[in-house]
Amino acid sequence: MPAHGLDLSRIAAPMVNQSDLPFRILVRRYNTSLVYTQMLLPDRLLNDQDYLEFHTRGLREDYDSPVVVQLCGNDPDVVVRAAKTVVDRADAVDLNLGCPQDAAREGHYGGYLLGQKDWPLVESIVSALSHSLPIPVSAKIRLCQNVSATPALGVRLEAAGASWIALHARHVSARRRRQGAADLSQVKTLKERVNVPVVSNGNVRTWEDVIANHAETGADGIMVGETLLANPCLFANATPDPVKISLEYLDICREHPDTATIETIQAHVRHFVDHQCGRRPWYNKFRAALTRCGTVDEIERLLRVRVQRWRGLAPLAEDETEDDEAEAAEDDDGARKPRPACERAVQSRDHGRPAG
């Protein structure tokens, strides 16, 4: 269900150091309807110009819209002032009430504001945002420690001005943040208790899971995080070739320089390749080689030449076949192996759309 004109049906979740601009552009190409930035820190947006410029570079341009900027914090005034630094470059602002990391516990924000003693504070932040900004405000939550209290919190968030609520139906735990399956019955219960749209986050590994999640919860949209890192084409019901999707991502990085660190770029490429080739005998060698790459060009050469050879395939570009003898010898162990199962063509981007 659209909220203020936004399509909430297929959402890329906010992920620390992984919701970079090139990745947001990539998943949009494959049927993702809405993307979030990573959780941004209000103090740094207000006091660190480099941080502000890096995380807002490209926001809400034609290639990065619609986009939700996610903030954290426990001071209504500070969060509102931070939101105002990005409001003209965002389609909505989200309050993170689910971060399970140690830093969130120490700073008393994210998922550590779910206790009932902090509900008045949470309500004041959402209310301050909704009354101060000309764009929608939402909240992303986890299960309260007392699970039965979660719908009551949702009701209060709605009353405070939240335009929609996303529920990652697991408890907050810095040590075991994804232990066990998400309790999707709680998403359904929340949906029955509030009048604003509800987004379900959790238990999605395949396109079939997207359909099943929607059917079980009745949610207005499905949010996916780590599975999209592995398969950015999930919402298009497609399985991409790992090298080709990596090269597509690298091309976007070149088109939008200084919007992702080399560490972030390496992490995305590692996820893409690991998804289908993580159990191949050459995978650890690939990871070591990827870590040694210091530029996008070096990563591209690794993919086009060495990874292709490890997969038993020809290099993808004729002008990149002049490896030195050491590299060629290192590649020999995988050069004549049968074509692995991870080599699959990208299916149609328009094949299949989630219900609702």
Side-chain angles (χ1 to χ4, degrees):
M1 177 189 299
H4 295 269
L6 298 177
D7 183 351
L8 306 178
S9 59
R10 304 170 305 279
I11 304 177
M15 294 173 283
V16 177
N17 296 328
Q18 300 284 271
S19 295
D20 52 289
L21 173 64
F23 184 72
R24 298 197 302 263
I25 293 173
L26 180 66
V27 295
R28 278 196 185 90
R29 292 180 178 180
Y30 295 96
N31 215 28
T32 296
S33 65
L34 184 64
V35 301
Y36 282 50
T37 68
Q38 73 174 60
M39 179 187 72
L40 302 181
L41 304 173
D43 285 339
R44 295 197 65 184
L45 288 173
L46 292 168
N47 301 307
D48 185 336
Q49 188 64 27
D50 289 341
Y51 182 89
L52 173 66
E53 291 179 0
F54 179 80
H55 286 290
T56 58
R57 198 167 288 145
L59 271 179
R60 214 184 182 191
E61 299 290 346
D62 289 344
Y63 48 77
D64 192 31
S65 181
V67 61
V68 179
V69 174
Q70 188 182 66
L71 303 176
C72 61
N74 58 21
D75 183 320
D77 177 65
V78 173
V79 175
V80 168
R81 287 194 290 118
K84 288 180 177 179
T85 69
V86 300
V87 68
D88 61 337
R89 287 171 280 189
D91 294 277
V93 166
D94 182 79
L95 179 64
N96 183 311
L97 296 173
C99 180
Q101 298 179 356
D102 288 333
R105 184 182 65 246
E106 293 164 4
H108 195 56
Y109 61 80
Y112 299 95
L113 293 176
L114 291 175
Q116 287 185 257
K117 66 181 177 60
D118 285 316
W119 286 8
L121 172 59
V122 167
E123 291 173 278
S124 68
I125 297 173
V126 172
S127 179
L129 286 169
S130 64
H131 283 90
S132 302
L133 306 180
I135 57 178
V137 173
S138 62
K140 185 172 187 290
I141 68 175
R142 286 196 179 219
L143 295 175
C144 296
Q145 195 60 40
N146 175 5
V147 174
S148 62
T150 305
L153 173 60
V155 170
R156 293 175 71 157
L157 290 171
E158 176 183 4
S163 292
W164 73 88
I165 301 167
L167 173 57
H168 183 174
R170 289 185 173 93
H171 288 289
V172 172
S173 171
R175 296 289 178 264
R176 304 160 74 178
R177 58 199 179 101
R178 287 180 181 81
Q179 184 73 10
D183 185 355
L184 298 183
S185 69
Q186 297 302 318
V187 179
K188 181 179 180 180
T189 300
L190 177 63
K191 173 64 180 171
E192 293 169 348
R193 288 285 301 277
V194 299
N195 296 308
V196 293
V198 170
V199 173
S200 177
N201 181 199
N203 294 1
V204 170
R205 293 291 179 269
T206 66
W207 171 253
E208 289 71 26
D209 291 337
V210 173
I211 302 300
N213 191 311
H214 180 270
E216 180 175 351
T217 64
D220 300 277
I222 306 299
M223 176 182 283
V224 179
E226 289 195 353
T227 300
L228 271 185
L229 294 179
N231 179 9
C233 307
L234 173 73
F235 284 131
N237 190 18
T239 302
D241 175 88
V243 168
K244 291 179 181 177
I245 199 67
S246 296
L247 294 175
E248 184 175 354
Y249 171 72
L250 294 182
D251 284 343
I252 300 171
C253 290
R254 287 195 180 91
E255 292 169 7
H256 303 279
D258 302 319
T259 58
T261 65
I262 191 65
E263 293 80 12
T264 292
I265 295 169
Q266 289 170 330
H268 279 300
V269 171
R270 185 177 67 250
H271 283 303
F272 298 154
V273 176
D274 176 53
H275 178 50
Q276 296 178 52
C277 306
R279 296 190 178 184
R280 304 298 296 178
W282 49 263
Y283 179 72
N284 286 338
K285 186 159 53 177
F286 158 73
R287 286 195 59 163
L290 179 64
T291 301
R292 292 193 295 269
C293 292
T295 66
V296 169
D297 288 345
E298 290 176 358
I299 297 174
E300 178 173 1
R301 179 176 176 81
L302 170 65
L303 291 163
R304 287 186 178 275
V305 180
R306 300 177 69 186
V307 172
Q308 284 294 91
R309 286 179 171 170
W310 288 332
R311 300 168 73 200
L313 303 170
L316 285 178
E318 293 181 358
D319 60 348
E320 296 196 21
T321 58
E322 298 179 1
D323 296 327
D324 60 39
E325 293 182 3
E327 183 176 287
E330 183 179 356
D331 293 344
D332 260 354
D333 63 345
R336 295 179 178 82
K337 290 181 179 178
R339 175 173 171 154
C342 60
E343 166 68 8
R344 294 184 236 173
V346 175
Q347 301 171 26
S348 168
R349 298 177 188 175
D350 297 323
H351 183 71
R353 294 177 181 273

